[in-house]
Amino acid sequence: MGTPIGVLQTRPLSNYLQQQLTNRYTLFKLWQVPPDSRREFLDKHSDLIKAVVGNGVTGADAELIDSLPHLEIVASHSSGLDKIDLDKCREKGIRVTYTPDALTDEVADMAILLTLATARRICEADRYVRNGEWKNADFKLTTKLSGKSVGIIGLGRIGSAISKRAEAFGCSIGYHSRSRKTNSRYKYYPSMIDLAKDSEILIVACALTHETRHIVNRDVINALGSKGIIVNIGRGSHIDEVELISALVEGRLGGAGLDVLEHEPEVPDLLRGLDNVVLSPHVAASTVETRKAMADLVVENLEAHFTNKPLLTPVI
Ligand SMILES: O=CC(=O)O
């Protein structure tokens, strides 16, 4: 038997994935190591560790990559790659894989769910019933999704899946992305402000990069207007959260449905207190079915790499 292959998992993911990795490799669980002992731990095991498995919250930064001289592959349990230092991986010839298609449907479903929940104030309505307020008065009127104009930021896999669902609600679709999609019949907006002006609902579905950080800023929020709704199933840093909260508090924005926050899991107190906001804890892809499919893809990519076969979903 050759030298065992060490896989470093950076955070808890599904039990299923952990089991699959344990069955095949020597698994090191970084999250179980206290932060002040990590350097020592990595030094001790770095000869074995050839792979890192993380996700969209804890990936592989330059420091981690540099501390693993035998690292060959980062197999991310995520579609977002913003927590992996891709330049560093390129520079060092480290392969990178991700799990794009496995979660597209769930995340698109969640975008629609948050849009409906925010428009129809369903969480507030639920609290209203539970608090016994129904007996005193009817719940206030809300606003419909059907037929509204939806602006999608990023028309990749997830953005396109959202657009199909929104079309089924009779919505008109516009989008903003780095460039026009030649195969799309939706209206392309090179300017975010113009997209926001023409939309009643704005959904963030692009990757987080230097260019897309705070792509939803004060001007965009103001262009969307006081009846507008913003939904974010991307990354918290796509939106300038301070500006978002002040717009919600001041009534310059109608509502927000947020699966991700800029400093998650920190939740600003002001946001917590707003009824026109629906919050979920970064769970757009968190279903049993999708997590299994994502885990399988992570394992298949590792297996392919360590048996010299083509990677299934390579980034690098
Ligand atoms: O946030 C989730 C992902 O990037 O897959």
Side-chain angles (χ1 to χ4, degrees):
M1 211 176 116
T3 320
I5 295 170
V7 172
L8 178 73
Q9 191 177 323
T10 58
R11 62 178 286 121
L13 297 163
S14 59
N15 291 341
Y16 172 75
L17 175 61
Q18 210 164 297
Q19 195 53 56
Q20 296 301 311
L21 293 175
T22 307
N23 291 347
R24 293 168 173 80
Y25 307 109
T26 303
L27 186 64
F28 297 99
K29 301 169 188 167
L30 189 60
W31 72 94
Q32 291 182 350
V33 183
D36 55 0
S37 313
R38 283 193 181 172
R39 174 156 291 280
E40 201 187 325
F41 174 85
L42 292 174
D43 284 349
K44 186 166 161 208
H45 299 295
S46 67
D47 279 355
L48 279 188
I49 297 173
K50 295 199 165 99
V52 165
V53 171
N55 73 352
V57 178
T58 315
D61 59 14
E63 195 188 339
L64 182 70
I65 295 168
D66 279 337
S67 60
L68 298 170
H70 301 287
L71 183 62
E72 294 177 12
I73 181 167
V74 176
S76 192
H77 183 272
S78 70
S79 66
L81 295 162
D82 49 290
K83 288 286 164 42
I84 302 172
D85 193 324
L86 295 175
D87 289 338
K88 176 69 83 180
C89 290
R90 258 182 222 110
E91 182 192 308
K92 295 197 140 189
I94 294 165
R95 307 298 311 269
V96 176
T97 63
Y98 67 150
T99 57
D101 294 313
L103 48 72
T104 303
D105 282 337
E106 255 80 355
V107 177
D109 289 353
M110 187 69 168
I112 297 297
L113 167 58
L114 283 172
T115 307
L116 275 167
T118 308
R120 301 298 299 270
R121 301 277 187 120
I122 202 69
C123 298
E124 193 186 346
D126 177 271
R127 290 191 291 272
Y128 190 85
V129 175
R130 288 172 200 268
N131 293 342
E133 293 173 66
W134 191 6
K135 289 201 182 78
N136 306 330
D138 287 342
F139 190 62
K140 67 184 167 210
L141 299 184
T142 59
T143 190
K144 66 194 264 193
L145 165 62
S146 295
K148 286 223 157 60
S149 49
V150 173
I152 300 177
I153 308 172
L155 202 66
R157 289 179 174 86
I158 294 173
S160 302
I162 295 170
S163 72
K164 285 197 195 108
R165 286 157 174 76
E167 270 193 306
F169 283 87
C171 296
S172 58
I173 314 286
Y175 72 99
H176 169 82
S177 59
R178 261 175 310 182
S179 55
R180 184 191 300 275
K181 307 277 173 196
T182 45
N183 55 355
S184 171
R185 60 201 153 76
Y186 304 133
K187 182 164 179 193
Y188 172 59
Y189 289 81
S191 146
M192 266 304 302
I193 303 278
D194 291 343
L195 176 68
K197 264 191 203 143
D198 277 2
S199 302
E200 293 166 289
I201 293 159
L202 204 53
I203 303 182
V204 183
C206 58
L208 180 66
T209 61
H210 291 303
E211 293 76 41
T212 62
R213 183 176 176 274
H214 286 190
I215 193 165
V216 177
N217 57 21
R218 184 181 178 90
D219 294 338
V220 171
I221 294 170
N222 286 342
L224 186 63
S226 61
K227 293 204 171 89
I229 289 175
I230 292 180
V231 167
N232 192 1
I233 45 78
R235 290 287 185 261
S237 298
H238 280 125
I239 301 182
D240 184 333
E241 203 163 278
V242 171
E243 288 296 342
L244 176 81
I245 294 171
S246 69
L248 288 162
V249 169
E250 291 162 21
R252 284 183 286 112
L253 180 67
L258 308 171
D259 186 51
V260 284
L261 293 177
E262 200 162 4
H263 306 290
E264 61 187 48
E266 297 305 321
V267 185
D269 284 342
L270 269 174
L271 201 57
R272 216 192 289 254
L274 289 171
D275 271 336
N276 52 352
V277 173
V278 174
L279 299 169
S280 54
H282 201 148
V283 290
S286 303
T287 63
V288 174
E289 298 89 339
T290 287
R291 285 298 165 91
K292 178 172 183 302
M294 290 167 78
D296 285 339
L297 203 43
V298 167
V299 172
E300 284 162 24
N301 273 309
L302 289 174
E303 294 268 90
H305 176 76
F306 290 117
T307 53
N308 295 318
K309 298 206 176 99
L311 299 177
L312 281 87
T313 46
V315 179
I316 295 176

